[in-house]
Amino acid sequence: MKDRSATGCRALSDLRDLLGRAHVLTDGATDPFARDWTGKWRADPLAVLRPATTQEVAEIVRIAARHDLSVVPVGGNTGLVGGTANTGALMVSLERMSAIREVRPEAGVMIVEAGAILSDLHAAAAAHDLVFPLTFGARGSARVGGFLSTNAGGSNVVRYGSTRGLVLGLEVVLADGRVLDLMSELRKDNSGYDLRDLFIGAEGTLGLITAAVLRLLPAPHHHATALAAIRDLPAALSLLRRLQSATDGAVEAFEYMPRTYMRALAHHRPDLRQPFAIHDHTVMIDLGGLSRPLVDTLEEVLSEAVEAGEVHDATIAQNETQRARIWEMREAAAEITFKRLPIVDNDVALPLDGVAAFIDRMHERLAAIDPAAETLIVAHLGDGNVHLTVYPDDGCRLEDIREMVEDVTVGLGGSISAEHGIGLSKLSTMTRRKDPVALDVMRAIKMALDPQDRMNPGKVVPKA
Amino acid sequence: MKDRSATGCRALSDLRDLLGRAHVLTDGATDPFARDWTGKWRADPLAVLRPATTQEVAEIVRIAARHDLSVVPVGGNTGLVGGTANTGALMVSLERMSAIREVRPEAGVMIVEAGAILSDLHAAAAAHDLVFPLTFGARGSARVGGFLSTNAGGSNVVRYGSTRGLVLGLEVVLADGRVLDLMSELRKDNSGYDLRDLFIGAEGTLGLITAAVLRLLPAPHHHATALAAIRDLPAALSLLRRLQSATDGAVEAFEYMPRTYMRALAHHRPDLRQPFAIHDHTVMIDLGGLSRPLVDTLEEVLSEAVEAGEVHDATIAQNETQRARIWEMREAAAEITFKRLPIVDNDVALPLDGVAAFIDRMHERLAAIDPAAETLIVAHLGDGNVHLTVYPDDGCRLEDIREMVEDVTVGLGGSISAEHGIGLSKLSTMTRRKDPVALDVMRAIKMALDPQDRMNPGKVVPKA
């Protein structure tokens, strides 16, 4: 057991009075919350707290203020940017606040507590023949508060948008312990500033999200899923546009996997037998029809592309098993990426027509810095979102490589974080690359809403 | 010519040096900008300024600071809430900054100056077989800066969302005269707080929008448009859901017009011959197919609804002329509404399943307050957005009626402004009805970004 300051002890005593001993975890009991799944980021909190109500969360924030402690929310711990790293903070886990309070199919909404797990939301929506479309590999662990605080993306943003587009209402505990009630179920609301979208993606630095109203959509019943080897990236984008037109926008995923990725996949996951030889460029396509089967449409569009010399080979899933296997090829990315260390991992967004230029320029400049470096790329091509992992030849060029990727990204009008957020890991990048006026505006907002810098301090917005 | 203070004269002199005499309008020359089209709200500005560049806008804000003047943006003057009313302010018109700088079909974006007119954007997108979907009656006058600052809605929000969902990037002149460059073309960007959505819908109170990156979408080529007399509102919502499913979400508009509206339409616009007798409930349906004609689908779904006794009568447009006439029946609303005065006009949003309850309760309570009052309703039913105009029997009950409508709206979890914004006209409603914590957060943000209260002061956020 650790030595503690008198302040820490008094805070723990207040917290035990509030929550009961069982819900104030200290020392070894905090381990599962303190280590994120990349193993790169650690937390050393004073305690992990497990409140059962919004009022208890609010009281925690007031106790933190009294003892001058920080408050750091922790969800499923599936983040990649050190968003919950801290020393001596009160970490708040909402795992006891995981209720799906209400599903209202007629209104197309689901009212949930922020500790609910994403895959549970999927199941609850499916029971009403509806869908909460946000999805990504970590859906079995990721919690509402986490995916809202990071404005999570995933594989079907091309159809449904990121988290922000799927949220109607929020409840937030503010830095002063007050509860902000934005639990609207409305499609339209122009009554003042858009506070909701400010808290979404703020990574807990402006307040702690405790509940949300989420949008539900009609469930597509007719999936058509394919893997296609394609000539180049422009051909891929043109294929995407033709698929959008031919299906009235039913493209649910359009994922790019180049040779390096397919090769790594063959190496690490031989069980996922690839349907054709490895080509330079492969895309995974998933269509989701509401009213009609789309397999024929997919086949037609792909056949035309084959005749035009744009697609070299293609396979369409004939059943759910084959479909699941194609998806697994894409979702194995997270697992494969971390097989080797050190890495420089990037999550950049480009204008849709800038992805090819990004990949070319980046490889050219990487060859100059570290000729033996290898890369692994997988991209949400429909969103211009490239996940690029660089494996340097030695560990001495990490910073040079990082800055080179930033250079190329910003030079093409891109963003240095598409969907993973900033946390701690991208703070220096924010300082270097974000418009200084934008940084000042963010600082002014942070100062206005959290003048004591109590809520997840040191994340997202670098100090001036 | 008006007497002016010495300060006013010095400011005008600085502004003439900056912009040239021709672009500093005073006295009678300001009239076209100072009167909004409802005739309800007036402005009495020191001058109307017509800058040609973002740098000139920034310099205007600095000159305003030097002389302690307010800055009020004015667009097409098609607002309904007094958003540009002022006395002695510098009004800024961007009519000389109306360029469509770039259309990039491959990237699906259009880069525009904030003075561009909405219908010009439509034409520019159409030239590339694309669509910028935002549309409403005033599209021939409304300018980018105006529809962004009010997060405008309109008739096809059910498919495409409000303005906020159609904007990728912004350029904003801040209260301190700095230029905030958020001109992103990206689909995803998690690099810090969502500043873009904060400035959208802020009605010019946090900064002045000078340019934007807008999303372009594939143009639907196959329209199917109908007018249908329907049993009741639940039947209408169920019809909407069936249409969504049958068309993979191709419903572009689903507008509700009850008996009172159709009667007023018959009276004021006999030229728009109605295709069938007036029923209690009528909906206007517009479908927009990308890949396939939807007329057969529409006919099928309507026939089934006729057989189920849910639809009493229906007509499907057989050509563009008939389609235009059906649309005109809906778009005549603005014109018809203001034929009589005084009015209590409301723009409320309800949960999708709360519209019927709202209309019933409101009529019940209105009968108790003013039995002879009449109402006019038209609703974007797919968004839960009801435009309700009350014509009181005398002018003495306006405030009672206003508060009654607020009561019923808030009682059903609704919002007191769906798409028109707050401006001046809804300020007292904001004070009464908005969560006090939310109001405090808005005040803190306003204070942080505009500590001198220089940007469109007195709008949106009521004083504490």
Side-chain angles (χ1 to χ4, degrees), chain A residues 189-190 193 205 248 291 415 417, chain B residues 189-190 193 205 248 291 415 417:
Chain A
D189 187 358
N190 276 353
Y193 303 153
T205 62
D248 287 60
S291 66
S415 165
S417 177
Chain B
D189 188 357
N190 276 354
Y193 303 154
T205 62
D248 287 58
S291 66
S415 165
S417 177

Side-chain angles (χ1 to χ4, degrees), chain B residues 81-147:
Chain B
V81 293
T84 62
N86 73 82
T87 305
L90 299 177
M91 289 181 85
V92 179
S93 164
L94 300 190
E95 58 185 19
R96 291 171 69 215
M97 293 173 63
S98 62
I100 295 172
R101 285 189 201 151
E102 211 180 336
V103 181
R104 299 238 316 280
E106 308 292 294
V109 300
M110 176 187 256
I111 301 169
V112 302
E113 295 182 346
I117 288 177
L118 180 53
S119 55
D120 292 339
L121 307 189
H122 291 163
H128 295 267
D129 198 22
L130 292 167
V131 69
F132 178 68
L134 183 78
T135 191
F136 43 80
R139 58 186 166 270
S141 310
R143 293 177 192 269
V144 170
F147 70 69

Side-chain angles (χ1 to χ4, degrees), chain A residues 159 247-248 250 288-292, chain B residues 243-250 292:
Chain A
R159 183 171 203 174
T247 64
D248 287 60
L290 293 176
S291 66
R292 49 173 174 165
Chain B
L243 285 167
Q244 295 283 30
S245 285
T247 65
D248 287 58
R292 49 175 176 166

Side-chain angles (χ1 to χ4, degrees), chain B residues 189-202:
Chain B
D189 188 357
N190 276 354
S191 60
Y193 303 154
D194 179 12
L195 302 181
R196 177 187 66 200
D197 289 323
L198 189 60
F199 289 99
I200 297 175

Side-chain angles (χ1 to χ4, degrees), chain A residues 104-108 150-155 157 159 162 164 174 178-182 184-203 205-206 218 237 241 244-250 288-292 294 347 349-353 380 382-385 387 413-422 430 434-446 448-449 459-461, chain B residues 104-108 150-155 157 159 162 164 174 178-182 184-203 205-206 218 237 241 244-250 288-292 294 347 349-353 380 382-385 387 413-422 430 434-446 448-449 459-461:
Chain A
R104 300 238 315 282
E106 308 291 293
T150 54
N151 184 35
S155 299
V157 172
R159 183 171 203 174
S162 298
R164 205 167 262 136
L174 300 176
R178 291 194 297 174
V179 178
L180 174 63
D181 180 0
L182 305 171
S184 158
E185 298 178 12
L186 306 172
R187 260 46 182 183
K188 285 179 171 177
D189 187 358
N190 276 353
S191 60
Y193 303 153
D194 179 11
L195 302 182
R196 177 186 66 201
D197 289 322
L198 189 60
F199 289 99
I200 296 174
E203 302 185 26
T205 62
L206 299 177
L237 279 180
R241 275 194 302 273
Q244 295 285 30
S245 285
T247 64
D248 287 60
L290 293 176
S291 66
R292 49 173 174 165
L294 294 172
D347 160 42
L350 287 311
L352 296 190
D353 53 359
H380 307 298
D383 319 315
N385 181 184
H387 296 304
S415 165
I416 46 86
S417 177
E419 58 179 12
H420 294 167
I422 300 301
M430 279 287 273
K434 194 80 188 172
D435 176 30
V437 180
L439 285 178
D440 274 355
V441 173
M442 290 181 200
R443 286 184 194 114
I445 291 170
K446 169 73 173 171
L449 301 192
K459 313 288 164 55
V460 185
V461 185
Chain B
R104 299 238 316 280
E106 308 292 294
T150 54
N151 185 33
S155 299
V157 173
R159 183 170 204 176
S162 298
R164 204 167 265 136
L174 300 176
R178 290 193 297 173
V179 178
L180 175 62
D181 179 359
L182 304 172
S184 158
E185 299 178 11
L186 306 173
R187 260 47 182 183
K188 285 178 170 177
D189 188 357
N190 276 354
S191 60
Y193 303 154
D194 179 12
L195 302 181
R196 177 187 66 200
D197 289 323
L198 189 60
F199 289 99
I200 297 175
E203 302 185 27
T205 62
L206 299 178
L237 279 181
R241 274 195 302 272
Q244 295 283 30
S245 285
T247 65
D248 287 58
L290 292 178
S291 66
R292 49 175 176 166
L294 293 172
D347 160 43
L350 287 310
L352 296 190
D353 54 357
H380 307 298
D383 318 315
N385 181 185
H387 296 303
S415 165
I416 46 86
S417 177
E419 59 178 12
H420 294 166
I422 300 301
M430 279 286 272
K434 193 79 188 172
D435 175 30
V437 180
L439 285 178
D440 274 355
V441 173
M442 290 180 201
R443 287 183 194 114
I445 290 171
K446 169 73 172 170
L449 301 192
K459 313 288 163 55
V460 186
V461 185

Side-chain angles (χ1 to χ4, degrees), chain B residues 207-275:
Chain B
L208 200 154
I209 296 171
T210 45
V213 182
L214 305 177
R215 285 180 63 193
L216 297 177
L217 292 130
H221 293 133
H222 306 282
H223 281 286
T225 310
L227 209 62
I230 197 153
R231 193 179 60 205
D232 52 23
L233 277 164
L237 279 181
S238 134
L239 178 67
L240 170 60
R241 274 195 302 272
R242 268 172 291 148
L243 285 167
Q244 295 283 30
S245 285
T247 65
D248 287 58
V251 178
E252 301 239 316
F254 196 83
E255 301 286 304
Y256 173 64
M257 298 171 283
R259 178 180 290 278
T260 49
Y261 181 81
M262 297 310 278
R263 222 161 44 195
L265 188 71
H267 180 72
H268 292 293
R269 293 295 304 274
D271 59 309
L272 297 173
R273 281 155 300 141
Q274 297 184 24

